[in-house]
Amino acid sequence: MSNANDNNGQLNTQSDSSKEKPWGGRFTEPTDAFVEQFTASVEFDQRLYFHDIQGSIAHATMLAKVGVLTEEEKTQIIQGLKEVQAEIESGKFQWSVKLEDVHMNVEAALTEKIGITGKKLHTGRSRNDQVATDIRLYLRDEIDVIASEITRLQDGMARLAKREAATIMPGFTHLQTAQPVTFGHHILAWNEMLQRDYERLMDCRKRVNIMPLGAAALAGTTYPIDRSITAELLGFDRPSENSLDSVSDRDFAIEFCSFASLVMIHLSRASEELILWASAQFDFIDLPDRFCTGSSIMPQKKNPDVPELVRGKSGRVTGHMISLLMLMKSQPLAYNEDNQEDKEPLFDV
Ligand code: ARG
C-alpha cells in the first residue's frame, strides 16, 4: 500500500516545463520532429476532451476517497480541470503536438495551472486505461443520441404508415410488379428494420458500458484504488474483469460500427426506393423542393441528392467497420499504439 507522498518519487522534478514529455526521463535526445508529427493524435483525439476530463474528475475523487490524494489536492485538481475545460470550450486552449494527445495536453495544462499537484492526477492510471475509458464514455453518449434519432425516425415512419394505411401501391419482387400492397405496409417494413437496429444498438451499449479504468498500463496498479467508486461516478455498469483485455480490445467499437453499417445499409435500401419512386419512370412520390437540387442545363430535373448521399455514405461506414476489424486483427496483448488508429474511423462513423 502506498500513499500520496510516495508518488513524489516518481515525478520528474528535473524541470517544471509543462511541455516536457512525462515519459522523457530515460531519453537522452529530443523526439525527431517528423516522429512527433507522425505519432501525435491530438489533432483528432481532442474531440475526447470532455470525456477525458469527466474521467479524470472521477479518478481524482476516487483517489481522495481511498486516501491517495488529500481532499485539498483533489479540490485543486478538479477546479483546475474545470478551468481547462472552460478554456477548451472558449476556443482559447493551445493544443500542442509536442504533447502528443488529448490526455497529455490536458494534464500539462492542469499542471501549468496548479503546479506539481497536477501530476498526481495520473497516480494509479495510464493513458492506456484512460483512453479506453474515454472512448467508451464518448461512445455511450453518442449511442444515446443515435438511439433517440432512430426512435424519432421510427415515429415519423409510423405516422406516415398510418396516414397511408389505405394507399394502394404495387409490391415488387425482382423489381417486377408483383402483388398490390399498401404504402403503409411498405413503410412499416422500413420501420421494422430500424427496430432491429435499435435493439442491436441497445445490446452494443451494454458492452460499451463497462469500465476499463484501473487496468492502468496493462497489469493494474499497486495503489489501493477502488474501481467500484469510479465506475459508479461515471455511470458504468461495472468495472471490467481482466486488465490485459481492458486496455487492448476495441471490439466494442467494432460492434458499434457493425450496428452502424447495418443501419446505414437499411437506410440505403430506403433511399434507393425513394430515388426510384421520385423518378419520372416510377412517379410514385414527389420529394419536397427544399430537399432536392436542380440543374441549370436540364431544367426538368429535380435531383434526390439527399437519399443519394445517404446511400453513398453507407459504403463509407461499412468501410470504417472493416478498417477497425483489420486494425484489431493479430494484435498481441496488451495495448499497442495501433489502437490510436481507432479514433478517426469511429468518429466518422
Ligand atoms: N494516444 C493513445 C491512443 O489514442 C493513448 C496513449 C497510449 N499510451 C502510450 N504509451 N502510447 O491510443
Side-chain angles (χ1 to χ4, degrees), residues 37 49 73 128 138 175 217 221-222 231 234 248 266 282 303 319 324 342:
Q37 288 282 343
Y49 83 88
E73 285 169 337
N128 296 354
Y138 168 86
L175 204 58
T221 171
T222 51
L234 293 170
S248 63
H266 286 151
F282 273 83
N303 297 329
L324 288 189
D342 64 356

Side-chain angles (χ1 to χ4, degrees), residues 68-347:
V68 171
L69 290 180
T70 65
E71 277 299 309
E72 201 202 319
E73 285 169 337
K74 177 196 82 175
T75 308
Q76 253 185 303
I77 286 173
I78 293 177
Q79 183 53 34
L81 285 169
K82 287 187 174 157
E83 281 171 33
V84 173
Q85 179 175 342
E87 232 168 78
I88 295 171
E89 284 167 1
S90 74
K92 284 192 210 109
F93 192 83
Q94 286 292 317
W95 296 98
S96 157
V97 168
K98 281 198 183 313
L99 291 165
E100 245 177 89
D101 55 25
V102 61
H103 324 294
M104 277 161 59
N105 269 270
V106 170
E107 187 194 299
L110 173 69
T111 305
E112 203 164 299
K113 277 186 196 305
I114 68 169
I116 205 78
T117 305
K119 299 205 173 196
K120 291 191 180 180
L121 166 63
H122 210 49
T123 310
R125 183 176 79 170
S126 152
R127 280 183 295 150
N128 296 354
D129 61 341
Q130 187 179 358
V131 71
T133 304
D134 291 2
I135 305 170
R136 285 168 184 268
L137 288 172
Y138 168 86
L139 192 52
R140 189 181 66 190
D141 278 354
E142 294 294 316
I143 286 174
D144 292 343
V145 172
I146 294 165
S148 73
E149 287 296 276
I150 293 178
T151 302
R152 195 161 73 90
L153 183 54
Q154 284 188 290
D155 285 349
M157 285 179 180
R159 270 203 306 279
L160 184 62
K162 195 167 180 193
R163 197 185 79 189
E164 305 293 335
T167 311
I168 305 294
M169 73 175 270
F172 298 89
T173 63
H174 312 269
L175 204 58
Q176 302 284 312
T177 305
Q179 289 177 329
V181 295
T182 68
F183 190 41
H185 191 173
H186 195 110
I187 299 297
L188 285 179
W190 294 351
N191 188 56
E192 205 72 8
M193 298 175 198
L194 288 176
Q195 184 54 32
R196 289 193 298 276
D197 292 329
Y198 181 87
E199 287 165 19
R200 262 186 285 274
L201 182 61
M202 289 300 104
D203 201 52
C204 164
R205 192 187 191 283
K206 290 183 208 156
R207 282 175 293 279
V208 167
N209 204 28
I210 307 289
M211 188 192 71
L213 199 62
L218 76 164
T221 171
T222 51
Y223 283 97
I225 59 169
D226 185 338
R227 301 178 72 213
S228 64
I229 296 176
T230 13
E232 199 186 328
L233 287 171
L234 293 170
F236 282 112
D237 290 334
R238 61 175 174 84
S240 58
E241 298 289 340
N242 183 293
S243 64
L244 299 173
D245 176 49
S246 303
V247 290
S248 63
D249 210 332
R250 296 292 183 263
D251 60 352
F252 65 92
I254 297 174
E255 233 185 298
F256 172 78
C257 290
S258 142
F259 142 80
S261 300
L262 274 167
V263 80
M264 288 304 290
I265 296 291
H266 286 151
L267 294 178
S268 83
R269 294 182 67 193
S271 296
E272 170 70 5
E273 294 188 320
L274 291 177
I275 295 160
L276 286 173
W277 295 344
S279 70
Q281 288 68 27
F282 273 83
D283 199 23
F284 284 5
I285 59 167
D286 186 25
L287 292 174
D289 282 2
R290 64 184 182 280
F291 295 142
C292 296
T293 63
S295 157
S296 53
I297 197 175
M298 299 167 284
Q300 80 283 7
K301 280 169 58 140
K302 195 164 106 175
N303 297 329
D305 283 17
V306 175
E308 284 176 316
L309 275 173
V310 172
R311 191 176 59 182
K313 284 175 195 290
S314 68
R316 172 163 153 185
V317 170
T318 304
H320 287 323
M321 176 190 69
I322 303 290
S323 297
L324 288 189
L325 279 166
M326 292 303 98
L327 177 66
M328 210 61 242
K329 181 181 177 296
S330 312
Q331 269 197 53
L333 287 170
Y335 176 86
N336 300 286
E337 201 66 34
D338 309 43
N339 281 344
Q340 183 162 286
E341 288 286 307
D342 64 356
K343 283 162 211 68
E344 286 166 294
L346 183 64
F347 292 160

